[in-house]
Amino acid sequence: MSKTDEIDDSSAPLIEHLAELRTRLIRSVIAFVIGIVVAFTVAEPILQFLLHPIEETLRELGDPSPTMQYTSPQEYLFTLFRISMVFGFALAFPVISYQMWRFVAPGLYRSEKGAFLPFLIASPFMFLLGATFAQFVVTPLAMQFFLGFADVSSIFANLLTTAAGDVPAEVAVVPESADGVKITFFGKVNESLDITLKFIIAFGLCFQLPVLLTLMGKAGLVSAEGLGAVRKYAMVGILVLAALVTPPDVITQIILFTVVYGLYEVSIFLVARVEQKREAQLRAEGYYDDEEDEDDAMMAEFEEGENK
């Protein structure tokens, strides 16, 4: 066999992997495009759903007909397309994750497949849970805080039409006011949607904390004891996170801190469970030495007695 033949034989598996990767990527892109098309057909109802917290807040402030605006001809279309991109990816994610799994799975051992697959399922579930929490809890509280600064919502836009009735336009007169400048909310669609999507993505990522730490514990990168030892630093970090991603509202920040810190404690419990299972498996296979642990414990007690 010549040297050229050896090179061709060694490069064949790489070419096969690249061809397999290309096939998986093409299928993922097709699923993404189909998801965008499907999401675009219902983009307007989705937009109404995402802006519902703002609508409810405006109605509570006394606006009988909440209205939002866009200031450029293409803005509303691009807003719908942005929604289609986000929710199209969500619709296509099962297909994309399956294609990723089919590409990676042949190179994993049976035990590695069993360890990785649950996290692949838990990750989108936790993201959906965080997004739901953001939409139904955090966003309404944030809108009540932000819009609460306006003395008048968007009632002024409807005031003349409701008060004037059939009176001709040249007769209708804008009522005078000597109370200073009226602060009125005329919300833009894209900017209001941007706030809602930021909350959804931020809380969706925060709810990935148990999945991430448990996976790191599975790989031996973190331990339950180590996570417990840095608990006070984690509390400070969560407080900073709550101050950054939420409005300067104490109630909203306390809610976020409580939820994320609760997820941190759940992560410690899950990592401890992973360590117990690993220890039991090693003991069953004869790799775990109980006598060595006892010697280490006795040595620690001896050193502690000397320090006293």
Side-chain angles (χ1 to χ4, degrees):
M1 182 181 291
S2 64
K3 188 173 182 180
T4 305
D5 294 335
E6 292 179 358
I7 294 176
D8 292 339
D9 291 339
S10 63
S11 61
L14 177 60
I15 296 176
E16 292 177 1
H17 285 306
L18 292 177
E20 177 73 11
L21 178 61
R22 182 189 63 183
T23 302
R24 301 299 177 187
L25 289 176
I26 291 175
R27 293 177 181 176
S28 299
V29 171
I30 292 175
F32 183 40
V33 173
I34 294 175
I36 291 176
V37 174
V38 173
F40 188 79
T41 59
V42 291
E44 189 168 354
I46 294 175
L47 177 61
Q48 293 289 337
F49 171 75
L50 293 176
L51 297 179
H52 183 71
I54 299 179
E55 176 193 352
E56 288 297 315
T57 303
L58 291 175
R59 292 188 185 277
E60 291 176 2
L61 291 175
D63 188 351
S65 179
T67 305
M68 307 200 75
Q69 63 179 340
Y70 58 95
T71 55
S72 60
Q74 75 280 5
E75 181 179 329
Y76 186 65
L77 177 62
F78 285 175
T79 300
L80 296 180
F81 185 72
R82 183 181 180 186
I83 293 175
S84 303
M85 292 280 289
V86 175
F87 284 85
F89 179 79
L91 292 175
F93 183 78
V95 178
I96 296 174
S97 60
Y98 177 75
Q99 296 300 323
M100 292 173 55
W101 173 253
R102 293 290 296 173
F103 178 74
V104 175
L108 301 177
Y109 293 106
R110 185 186 300 270
S111 59
E112 293 174 337
K113 292 181 182 179
F116 184 72
L117 187 58
F119 296 100
L120 192 62
I121 298 174
S123 181
F125 172 76
M126 293 301 295
F127 186 90
L128 180 62
L129 188 63
T132 303
F133 179 79
Q135 174 66 17
F136 291 102
V137 178
V138 178
T139 305
L141 291 174
M143 292 302 106
Q144 290 174 8
F145 177 82
F146 288 134
L147 297 178
F149 287 100
D151 295 329
V152 181
S153 302
S154 57
I155 303 177
F156 189 76
N158 306 299
L159 183 61
L160 290 179
T161 57
T162 57
D166 297 330
V167 179
E170 62 272 10
V171 179
V173 179
V174 178
E176 296 182 0
S177 173
D179 297 333
V181 177
K182 294 293 184 181
I183 308 300
T184 305
F185 174 74
F186 290 101
K188 292 188 64 178
V189 176
N190 61 336
E191 293 178 355
S192 302
L193 177 67
D194 184 66
I195 296 175
T196 303
L197 289 180
K198 282 181 178 179
F199 279 136
I200 289 175
I201 294 175
F203 279 83
L205 294 177
C206 287
F207 273 63
Q208 298 294 313
L209 186 63
V211 179
L212 176 62
L213 292 181
T214 306
L215 184 60
M216 293 176 66
K218 196 82 174 179
L221 299 177
V222 296
S223 64
E225 183 180 358
L227 293 175
V230 298
R231 184 180 280 111
K232 56 184 179 181
Y233 302 107
M235 293 177 64
V236 175
I238 295 172
L239 284 172
V240 173
L241 176 67
L244 292 176
V245 303
T246 59
D249 179 16
V250 178
I251 297 177
T252 308
Q253 293 176 358
I254 291 176
I255 292 175
L256 176 60
F257 171 79
T258 303
V259 172
V260 178
Y261 181 73
L263 293 174
Y264 185 80
E265 293 294 337
V266 170
S267 302
I268 295 177
F269 173 76
L270 293 176
V271 172
R273 289 289 302 275
V274 168
E275 292 174 347
Q276 291 175 1
K277 290 183 178 180
R278 184 191 300 124
E279 180 181 328
Q281 182 179 0
L282 292 176
R283 184 178 285 107
E285 294 175 356
Y287 294 111
Y288 195 85
D289 191 357
D290 293 328
E291 294 182 358
E292 183 177 350
D293 288 346
E294 293 177 358
D295 293 340
D296 292 339
M298 293 176 61
M299 182 62 68
E301 291 180 359
F302 178 75
E303 292 178 354
E304 184 179 352
E306 284 189 344
N307 293 331
K308 292 181 179 179

